[in-house]
Amino acid sequence: QVVAVYGTLSDLLSVASSKLGIKATSVYNGKGGLIDDIALIRDDDVLFVCEGEPFIDPQADARSHEELTGSHTDWLTLNVGGRYFTTTRSTLVNKEPDSMLAHMFKDKDAWGNKQDHRGAFLIDRSPEYFEPILNYLRHGQLIVNDGINLLGVLEEARFFGIDSLIEHLEIAIKNSQPAEDHSPISRKEFVRFLLATPTKSELRCQGLNFSGADLSRLDLRYINFKMANLSRCNLAHANLCCANLERADLSGSVLDCANLQGVKMLCSNAEGASLKGCNFEDPSGLKANLEGANLKGVDMEGSQMTGINLRVATLKNAKLKNCNLRGATLAGTDLENCDLSGCDLQEANLRGSNVKGAIFEEMLTPLHMSQSVR
């Protein structure tokens, strides 16, 4: 208790008796010296009062009691999620002095740690993930038993602030990940994928690698192949109605007799591909869009392309013999050295297109100068 010291020694004993609930008869200083005059008391003195018994140093008595009971030894027990761990205070403090565990056990009761009926300190975390952390604090090595998820241990390490262990765990997790598989998807794998997907669900194959796969005669309507690798694929007789092939790589692929009604092939790369006898013509009026596509050297002989959008596409050295390009948009298209013999170009927009070296023999519709070709 803190009391004001004033008056006489009798006054002090009276106040101490009232405060402490005893009949104080003697006053001692911190070193056990008996005080018989209030004038001997210094401002910073801690005083001890008793009912006449000899002076006993309370601090020395407390230390002796702790030594006998082990209440403040270096050893302690933790109850982590219902599982008990016995360790030392120095283990929890010394390895990572700035961690949460170090702050929890650096000073006795510094955090007001709760204890269970056995005196173990309660920690509401996963014991499975805590064990590798405790072992790391013991010997500095990351050892995780089989079946323990490293991500769980990492989360606990972050929670307790074990910074050096976090780095070890991140490296271990990275090394445990399987190498990225960039191998192409086979027909068998893709068909299994198609069968497992509900018909009403949107199928997204963006950026996937199908290079060299045999996808012929498959129903691929409305599938999103944006930026996919379809180079050297066999897509002959496949149904790609309204499929999205924007920026896809179709170089060297075979799409002979494929259904390409309403297909989106903006800026796709189909250089050297074969598209003989393809159908781009949608009876509903939906236009196939190949704007900006690279179609160098493609073979599109006999394809139905009424109303197709080939604006600013590159068709240099392409074979377009006997194609139906009625009403097609070919504005700004590079048709250099193309074989357009037998094509139907009625109402086609050729404004600004490059037809240098193109073959127009036996065209079904004569070219008019008003179409501003160059």
Side-chain angles (χ1 to χ4, degrees):
Q1 295 283 349
V2 178
V3 298
V5 177
Y6 59 89
T8 64
L9 183 61
S10 296
D11 295 329
L12 176 59
L13 290 171
S14 176
V15 172
S17 298
S18 176
K19 288 276 188 178
L20 300 175
I22 63 173
K23 188 176 180 180
T25 60
S26 303
V27 180
Y28 295 92
N29 64 17
K31 295 183 178 181
L34 180 65
I35 296 175
D36 56 7
D37 188 342
I38 197 170
L40 299 174
I41 299 174
R42 298 187 305 178
D43 290 343
D44 58 350
D45 267 346
V46 176
L47 305 178
F48 297 89
V49 296
C50 64
E51 295 180 313
E53 66 271 19
F55 174 78
I56 300 173
D57 186 350
Q59 293 181 344
D61 182 59
R63 284 193 297 269
S64 299
H65 175 72
E66 288 172 350
E67 288 171 2
L68 288 172
T69 62
S71 60
H72 193 55
T73 65
D74 195 41
W75 286 98
L76 47 82
T77 301
L78 309 178
N79 180 346
V80 182
R83 181 175 164 190
Y84 289 91
F85 296 88
T86 300
T87 184
T88 63
R89 195 179 302 272
S90 57
T91 294
L92 300 175
V93 171
N94 294 344
K95 177 71 176 176
E96 287 280 345
D98 295 324
S99 69
M100 180 189 293
L101 278 174
H103 288 297
M104 288 171 66
F105 295 99
K106 185 178 296 181
D107 299 313
K108 185 181 179 183
D109 298 329
W111 277 42
N113 299 324
K114 301 296 182 182
Q115 293 173 271
D116 65 10
H117 64 284
R118 292 171 54 178
F121 292 98
L122 290 162
I123 299 178
D124 186 20
R125 302 300 292 183
S126 167
E128 182 181 41
Y129 300 138
F130 181 78
E131 184 176 11
I133 291 174
L134 181 57
N135 286 333
Y136 175 77
L137 294 175
R138 284 168 171 159
H139 47 63
Q141 298 294 321
L142 173 61
I143 299 174
V144 181
N145 295 333
D146 292 339
I148 304 296
N149 193 329
L150 288 174
L151 290 173
V153 182
L154 175 61
E155 185 60 32
E156 293 301 287
R158 287 172 174 162
F159 175 81
F160 289 115
I162 316 296
D163 292 339
S164 60
L165 179 56
I166 291 173
E167 185 177 353
H168 285 296
L169 283 165
E170 288 175 341
I171 294 172
I173 290 171
K174 183 178 180 180
N175 292 336
S176 67
Q177 298 297 321
E180 292 187 23
D181 185 6
H182 296 288
S183 58
I185 298 171
S186 67
R187 179 186 179 91
K188 184 177 180 180
E189 291 171 323
F190 190 53
V191 169
R192 190 184 298 120
F193 181 44
L194 290 175
L195 294 174
T197 305
T199 54
K200 293 184 179 181
S201 299
E202 181 187 5
L203 198 55
R204 305 181 69 173
C205 299
Q206 291 173 272
L208 296 184
N209 184 7
F210 296 91
S211 179
D214 179 7
L215 305 179
S216 60
R217 301 182 184 276
L218 293 180
D219 186 355
L220 307 174
R221 289 175 296 172
Y222 299 99
I223 295 179
N224 188 346
F225 288 107
K226 187 175 181 180
M227 294 185 289
N229 182 1
L230 293 157
S231 60
R232 297 176 287 101
C233 278
N234 182 3
L235 289 157
H237 298 276
N239 188 354
L240 286 157
C241 176
C242 296
N244 186 353
L245 293 163
E246 183 178 345
R247 299 184 185 276
D249 185 0
L250 291 155
S251 57
S253 293
V254 176
L255 293 95
D256 295 344
C257 301
N259 182 7
L260 296 166
Q261 295 175 341
V263 72
K264 295 179 182 178
M265 291 177 60
L266 287 81
C267 302
S268 60
N269 176 25
E271 185 172 351
S274 178
L275 292 92
K276 291 185 289 187
C278 289
N279 181 24
F280 291 87
E281 186 177 347
D282 189 348
S284 67
L286 189 63
K287 309 293 185 184
N289 191 348
L290 281 74
E291 183 171 334
N294 177 13
L295 301 166
K296 288 182 181 179
V298 298
D299 187 349
M300 305 178 80
E301 184 175 346
S303 293
Q304 295 295 318
M305 295 188 281
T306 301
I308 192 172
N309 182 3
L310 286 164
R311 182 177 175 273
V312 298
T314 302
L315 283 154
K316 189 174 181 180
N317 300 317
K319 296 177 182 178
L320 300 168
K321 190 174 182 180
N322 299 322
C323 285
N324 183 355
L325 286 161
R326 179 173 297 204
T329 301
L330 295 161
T333 303
D334 186 359
L335 296 166
E336 185 177 348
N337 298 324
C338 282
D339 185 355
L340 292 158
S341 57
C343 285
D344 184 353
L345 285 162
Q346 187 174 350
E347 299 178 0
N349 180 3
L350 289 157
R351 186 178 299 276
S353 61
N354 176 19
V355 294
K356 181 180 179 181
I359 301 172
F360 293 99
E361 296 175 3
E362 302 176 6
M363 283 181 56
L364 298 183
T365 302
L367 225 69
H368 300 289
M369 296 303 294
S370 60
Q371 291 176 299
S372 302
V373 297
R374 55 187 174 87

